[in-house]
Amino acid sequence: MNSTVGFWGEPSSTDWCEQNYEVTYYIAEFFNTISSLCLVFMGTFGSIMHSDGFDYRFSLCFRTITLIGFGSILFHGTLIFPSEHFDGIPMVFFLLILFYSINENKKEKKFGKWFPITLFLWGFIFSVILVLLKGYYENEIMKLVEFYIFQGSFFLMSICVYLHIAAIVIRNLRKEKSIISLMILGTIIFLIGYLGWNIDYHFCTEMSKILNPQLHAWWHVAASYSSYSLLLIVMFDRSKTLEKNPKIKWVCIILPYVGLSEQYLPSKVISESQELLNENYHI
């Protein structure tokens, strides 16, 4: 944290440990901003690789991850308090969509329309509260209140979602070695990243005395990969419930995705139907 002023003026949002405007006059936190592209990439990659054969809820999740990335770029690039919400609010809605997905994972819906409506209203009201607090961004106490309201709520929601996913793995997917590996990998990467987040935030003064390892930037990398991995587990469980024969596949041994049997892909079904119509037409 420092008082260097650049293109966007005096920082008014949460200021992380990276030196402001150290690399360029136009970007407040250069490494935190650039690392946010990992979220954009993972969300876009997930959308492309899972464009066929999956529920729309998962498409929303991937798009929300992408939106988090752009919001994080805006937040860290400017350090203006209102821009902080473009990072935080999409994170809340990502967890709410994921929470809906892990609870409505059967062939028949367990809850009525009230469930998604309630979740949306909860996210909307929570977002309004955060936005209203922006009027007090010059008050340091109110900034801390806003920060810990968000962080505390987000942490509790994250724990709730994670425990639900762990229960799904234990109950439904414990024989799937690829899922167990993905669960372990996602958990370890998240914990390492979250440890770095806390060190960066709470021990900045100590780290400033040595070479800054840019732990918050690495948190972006860890968070994007771990959230993406855990989302794949929910998608795998849903696809297995719908008997779509899902498999965990890898791109370059680094990027996992859920692959479905060709017979369940809409493009395959449409192609086969078209061929059948053509044959009948010729007859």
Side-chain angles (χ1 to χ4, degrees), residues 161-221:
V161 168
Y162 179 82
L163 291 177
H164 273 78
I165 295 176
I168 288 175
V169 172
I170 294 172
R171 183 174 61 248
N172 302 338
L173 307 174
R174 60 181 178 276
K175 295 182 180 179
E176 300 285 348
K177 294 182 179 180
S178 60
I179 292 297
I180 299 299
S181 299
L182 199 60
M183 184 73 180
I184 295 174
L185 178 65
T187 301
I188 292 176
I189 291 177
F190 175 83
L191 290 176
I192 292 175
Y194 190 63
L195 176 63
W197 184 96
N198 279 280
I199 293 175
D200 182 272
Y201 185 74
H202 295 287
F203 301 98
C204 180
T205 302
E206 289 75 7
M207 286 201 306
S208 296
K209 298 176 182 178
I210 58 177
L211 180 64
N212 189 343
Q214 307 299 342
L215 294 180
H216 191 85
W218 285 108
W219 155 249
H220 289 159
V221 178

Side-chain angles (χ1 to χ4, degrees), residues 233-266:
I233 295 175
V234 180
M235 295 177 64
F236 186 97
D237 177 64
R238 173 68 174 169
S239 299
K240 187 176 180 181
T241 299
L242 297 178
E243 300 177 349
K244 292 187 176 183
N245 191 27
K247 302 289 183 184
I248 295 295
K249 300 182 179 180
W250 296 80
V251 174
C252 300
I253 323 177
I254 298 175
L255 298 173
Y257 68 97
V258 179
L260 301 180
S261 175
E262 287 190 354
Q263 62 177 313
Y264 295 106
L265 298 179

Side-chain angles (χ1 to χ4, degrees), residues 95-112:
L95 284 179
L96 291 176
I97 299 170
L98 196 54
F99 185 73
Y100 170 82
S101 300
I102 59 182
N103 282 281
E104 288 288 7
N105 61 339
K106 303 300 182 183
K107 290 183 179 180
E108 301 294 333
K109 286 190 175 182
K110 294 189 294 183
F111 307 104

Side-chain angles (χ1 to χ4, degrees), residues 70-87:
F70 283 120
S72 183
I73 290 172
L74 183 62
F75 167 36
H76 290 289
T78 65
L79 289 183
I80 298 173
F81 186 69
S83 69
E84 192 167 348
H85 302 316
F86 289 96
D87 173 47

Side-chain angles (χ1 to χ4, degrees), residues 14 81 84-85 126 129-130 133 136 139-153 201:
T14 303
F81 186 69
E84 192 167 348
H85 302 316
F126 183 79
I129 292 174
L130 292 183
L133 286 176
Y136 301 92
N139 186 307
E140 291 299 323
I141 294 178
M142 290 303 297
K143 282 171 63 176
L144 285 175
V145 169
E146 187 272 345
F147 178 80
Y148 283 109
I149 284 178
F150 172 76
Q151 293 298 332
S153 301
Y201 185 74

Side-chain angles (χ1 to χ4, degrees), residues 50-64:
H50 305 96
S51 58
D52 285 339
F54 297 93
D55 295 326
Y56 182 66
R57 66 183 76 169
F58 299 119
S59 178
L60 282 178
C61 279
F62 288 123
R63 293 175 185 178
T64 305

